[in-house]
């Protein structure tokens, strides 16, 4: 029988951390989602009314908001992967090793600025008085400025700018672990550069892509700031709907139910990508 | 993984020392934050700038800690998460003062020590600030949800009518303030519905008009987002905007303007009080008296976050500042505006449902 030595207690801090900062808050949110606001007070009544409200309230707006959130997030994830993969590939295989650290630092430099400031900066860049419109109108390519901010395009652009950096890091970390000998072996067996990439490098780098894509999905679907600043509330995303319930009415039960729905979507995303989520490879 | 250097550096004794120091810090820190020379204020963002706070802090030798909030619901959530006595001063919408008194959140203020003669008569509103003859909050600032606009892009005769909010001539040039109560009340005014007569039966007409407006809008946003829309040219008209969105920028950007249409506007007001659980009621009351003094009122009216009219007619403001705030036009504006109407809980929920649907449309 295994004794209770120091080694067997080694996992306790991690479990305590997860319990205190994930499980307990999640249980609290779950209980809140089956509670009701009665006379301004929140009472645990074990009701599913808040989940029913998600489906039926405000002419089904919450369901529409969830659909918008999923669309924006999937689009963001796909575009971020498409931007990040070539960048990570160039970093790992085309940039000399002695320069890689510097280029990596340059790649993550935008992370050092505030998320809010970066979003507002994009709004200024995309505005009708912004540099893009000034250039296009000045070059005669546009007769009049076009409003690009306050739109889904702006929201996705802001997201991709942020998450492409994150994905670049996870994919790069994966690519540098793939032994050069695999590609050389493929070349020896007659594969050209594209075939070696397609059949060797790409499959081996999928764990890095999956981890980065999953992180992008999780962070983007719950984000409130970027759609609020760059989307201009032209369409409603679910995090914005959550905030609407809190601002004046402090309707925590409904807000919690909406958050649990978001959590469910993240869980589904996790299950779909779990096969590729091998953190040890990243 | 702990390498050899780290293993040698972090000895058991050193770890204990660090742990003890950390524990001591955690134990002592809350006492520092509860020191008698600090004042903890739960406020709107206009109470956070140094020009307003520093004179009081220096005079009384105290440190003022401010926590911003948006929406009374958020404020109550913060209070629920706090210990009794954590907060000393509360800045709150005047219309929400009776609710706060009902909850037992506010302490009685010394009525006789307040400069009531300086306060504009229309803002005294005893039905909001008093209960059972006792004063619980002092009116401190007011303004309007009306129309803010770019006067170089929008004709003066157009903004003279509330119909400018849904004028197709400005399709794609209209921003809507993303706060359902004043914005829906403004739309109601445009439809000939006085705010205090809004009922569930009024909502279908307001909903239909809002859906029409949403199609014309370039942005629906909070104060900062809609200010940006006006500044960057994304919008030329701001529905439910007012001096609080543009007055602070009018010196540099004179084309940014605001007005009340013929149908009127919504007059909002905010008040300041002392928390019933405060352990520093005397100091907090002194702060309230400072805020409603001419010096405090001048600084508050021209606060960085947003400008608006001071509740005191004696506020220290220069001529240029008074011009930006439309000081001389206030009698007409006050006469042509309706006090901010707070619906009961059921109507409030129904209005939020309509607003949510409009945002999702």
């Amino acid at each position: 029988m295994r004794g209770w030595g120091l080694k067997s207690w080694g996992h306790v801090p991690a479990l305590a951390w997860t319990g205190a900062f994930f499980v307990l808050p999640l249980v609290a949110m779950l209980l809140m989602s089956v509670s009701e606001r009665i006379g301004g007070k929140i009472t645990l009544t074990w009701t599913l009314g808040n989940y029913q409200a998600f489906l039926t309230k405000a002419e089904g707006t919450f369901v529409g908001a969830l659909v918008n959130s999923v669309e924006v997030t999937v689009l963001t994830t796909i575009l971020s992967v498409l931007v990040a993969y070539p960048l990570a590939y160039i970093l790992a295989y085309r940039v000399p090793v002695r320069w890689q650290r510097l280029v990596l630092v340059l790649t993550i430099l935008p992370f050092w600025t505030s998320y809010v400031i970066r979003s507002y900066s994009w709004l200024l860049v995309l505005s009708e008085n912004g540099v893009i419109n000034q250039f296009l109108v000045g070059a005669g390519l546009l007769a009049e400025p076009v409003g690009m901010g306050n739109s889904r395009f702006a929201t996705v652009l802001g997201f991709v700018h942020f998450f492409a950096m994150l994905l670049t890091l996870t994919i790069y970390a994966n690519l540098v672990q793939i032994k050069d000998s695999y590609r050389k072996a493929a070349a020896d067996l007659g594969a050209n550069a594209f075939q070696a990439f397609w059949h060797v490098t790409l499959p081996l780098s999928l764990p890095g892509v999956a981890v980065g894509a999953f992180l992008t999905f999780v962070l983007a679907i719950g984000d409130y700031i970027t759609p609020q600043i760059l989307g201009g509330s032209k369409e409603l995303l679910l995090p914005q709907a959550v905030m609407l319930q809190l601002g004046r009415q402090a309707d925590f039960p409904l807000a919690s139910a909406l958050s649990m729905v978001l959590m469910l979507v993240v869980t589904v995303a996790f299950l779909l990508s779990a096969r590729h989520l091998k953190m040890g490879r990243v | 993984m702990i390498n050899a250097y780290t293993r040698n550096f972090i000895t058991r004794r050193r770890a204990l020392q660090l742990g003890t120091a950390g524990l001591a810090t955690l134990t002592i820190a809350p006492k520092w934050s509860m020191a008698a020379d600090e004042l903890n204020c739960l406020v709107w963002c206009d109470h956070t700038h140094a020009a307003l706070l520093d004179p009081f802090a220096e005079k009384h030798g105290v440190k003022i800690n401010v926590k911003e909030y948006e929406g009374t619901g958020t404020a109550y959530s913060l209070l629920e998460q706090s210990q009794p006595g954590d907060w000393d001063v509360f800045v709150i919408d005047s219309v929400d003062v009776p609710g706060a008194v009902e909850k037992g959140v506010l302490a009685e203020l010394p009525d006789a020590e307040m400069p009531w003669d300086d306060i504009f008569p229309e803002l005294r509103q005893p039905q909001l600030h008093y209960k059972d003859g006792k004063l619980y909050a002092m009116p401190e600032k007011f303004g309007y949800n009306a129309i803010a606009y770019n006067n170089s892009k929008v004709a003066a005769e157009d903004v003279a009518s509330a119909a400018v909010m849904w004028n197709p001539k400005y399709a794609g040039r209209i921003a809507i303030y993303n706060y359902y109560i004043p914005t829906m009340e403004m739309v109601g005014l445009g439809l000939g519905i006085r705010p205090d007569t809004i009922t569930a039966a009024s909502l279908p007409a307001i909903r239909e008009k809002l859906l029409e407006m949403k199609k014309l809008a370039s942005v629906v946003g909070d104060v900062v987002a809609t200010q940006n829309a006006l500044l960057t040219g994304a919008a030329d008209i701001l529905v439910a905007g007012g001096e609080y969105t543009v007055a602070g920028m009018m010196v540099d950007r004179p084309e940014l303007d605001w007005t009340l249409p013929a149908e009127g506007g919504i007059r909002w007001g905010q008040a300041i009080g002392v928390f019933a659980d405060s352990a520093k009621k005397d100091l907090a009351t002194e702060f309230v008296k400072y805020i409603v003094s001419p010096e405090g009122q001048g600084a508050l009216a021209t606060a960085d976050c947003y400008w608006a009219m001071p509740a005191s007619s004696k506020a220290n403001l220069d001529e240029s500042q008074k011009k930006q705030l439309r000081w001389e036009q206030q009698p007409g504006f006050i006469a042509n505006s309706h006090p901010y109407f707070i619906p009961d809980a059921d109507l409030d929920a129904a209005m939020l449902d309509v607003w949510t649907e409009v945002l999702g449309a």
Side-chain angles (χ1 to χ4, degrees), chain B residues 21 49 69 82 91 112 135 149 208 225 236 293 334:
Chain B
H49 71 147
Y69 74 91
S82 309
V91 171
L135 173 68
Y149 65 104
E208 194 179 331
D236 297 327
S293 71
I334 289 174

Side-chain angles (χ1 to χ4, degrees), chain B residues 66-347:
Chain B
V66 287
K67 169 74 181 167
E68 285 178 46
Y69 74 91
E70 285 183 9
T72 307
T74 309
Y76 287 142
S77 305
L78 288 166
L79 293 178
E80 281 171 18
Q81 293 158 30
S82 309
Q83 296 294 318
D86 278 356
W87 299 102
D88 304 304
V89 174
F90 193 18
V91 171
I92 181 172
D93 277 336
S94 283
V95 288
D96 288 326
V97 170
V101 174
E102 196 69 34
K103 285 175 183 282
V105 167
L106 292 172
E108 185 184 353
L109 292 174
D111 197 2
E113 295 174 29
M114 297 298 161
W116 281 108
D117 290 344
D118 299 347
I119 305 294
F120 287 107
E122 293 81 357
L123 301 179
R124 294 176 189 167
Q125 297 172 292
Q127 74 280 14
L128 298 178
H129 303 114
Y130 286 84
K131 189 184 179 191
D132 300 332
K134 293 176 181 173
L135 173 68
Y136 286 94
M138 276 299 289
E140 52 154 34
K141 193 171 180 177
F142 74 103
Y144 307 92
N145 291 108
I147 304 290
Y149 65 104
N150 184 327
N151 62 28
S152 68
K153 304 275 182 67
V154 182
E157 59 268 26
D158 287 342
V159 288
S161 163
V164 75
M165 296 187 288
W166 48 83
N167 188 338
K169 180 177 161 187
Y170 298 105
R173 318 295 316 155
I174 299 172
I176 301 173
Y177 178 40
N178 188 2
Y179 187 20
Y180 61 102
I181 294 180
T183 302
M184 289 175 79
E185 289 181 359
M186 264 309 287
V187 172
L189 275 181
L191 294 171
I193 306 167
R194 247 184 32 223
D196 59 350
T197 63
I198 291 177
T199 63
S202 327
L203 295 185
I206 294 174
R207 170 186 171 274
E208 194 179 331
K209 192 53 81 178
L210 279 168
L211 289 169
E212 187 185 326
M213 290 165 62
K214 177 81 186 295
K215 289 179 187 154
L216 301 174
S218 59
V219 56
V220 183
D222 58 17
V223 176
V224 179
T226 49
Q227 272 178 333
N228 259 303
L230 287 172
L231 276 169
T232 61
D236 297 327
I237 294 168
L238 170 55
V239 173
E243 77 296 316
Y244 72 97
T245 38
V246 294
M249 304 185 286
M250 285 166 76
V251 170
D252 297 328
R253 300 288 296 268
E255 73 275 19
L256 298 182
D257 213 334
W258 66 280
T259 191
L260 266 67
E263 293 84 348
I266 308 298
R267 191 172 71 243
W268 56 264
Q270 61 192 46
I272 184 166
V274 172
F275 278 103
D277 290 330
S278 169
K280 301 161 205 161
K281 286 199 182 72
D282 290 345
L283 185 62
T285 303
E286 285 305 308
F287 185 72
V288 170
K289 284 154 76 176
Y290 161 72
I291 290 293
V292 294
S293 71
E295 184 189 10
Q297 286 284 280
L300 181 63
T302 55
D304 288 342
C305 187
Y306 58 91
W307 285 37
M309 276 293 291
S312 168
S313 59
K314 301 276 173 58
N316 287 348
L317 294 168
D318 63 31
E319 286 311 308
S320 164
Q321 290 166 332
K322 285 186 173 180
K323 192 177 168 191
Q324 282 164 262
L325 288 167
R326 304 276 163 78
W327 189 275
E328 300 300 331
Q329 291 167 265
Q330 288 304 316
F333 284 174
I334 289 174
N336 192 29
S337 60
H338 301 263
Y340 197 98
F341 168 68
I342 289 294
D344 63 32
D346 290 341
L347 183 57

Side-chain angles (χ1 to χ4, degrees), chain A residues 40 57-59 61-62 120 123-124 127-129 150 228 232-236 244-250 252, chain B residues 71 73-74 77 96 173 179-181 214 217-220 224 228 231-233 342 348-349 352-353 356-357 359:
Chain A
K57 210 175 180 191
E59 307 286 322
T61 301
F62 294 136
Y120 274 115
L123 196 59
L124 294 175
S127 74
E128 304 201 358
N129 302 332
N150 303 307
Q228 189 71 7
S233 294
K234 294 293 288 294
E235 62 179 353
L236 192 66
L244 266 179
Q245 309 315 311
L246 299 177
R248 172 162 182 79
Q249 300 204 342
F252 281 92
Chain B
T74 309
S77 305
D96 288 326
R173 318 295 316 155
Y179 187 20
Y180 61 102
I181 294 180
K214 177 81 186 295
S218 59
V219 56
V220 183
V224 179
N228 259 303
L231 276 169
T232 61
I342 289 294
D348 194 320
L352 180 59
D353 281 354
T356 305
E357 186 189 342
L359 288 182

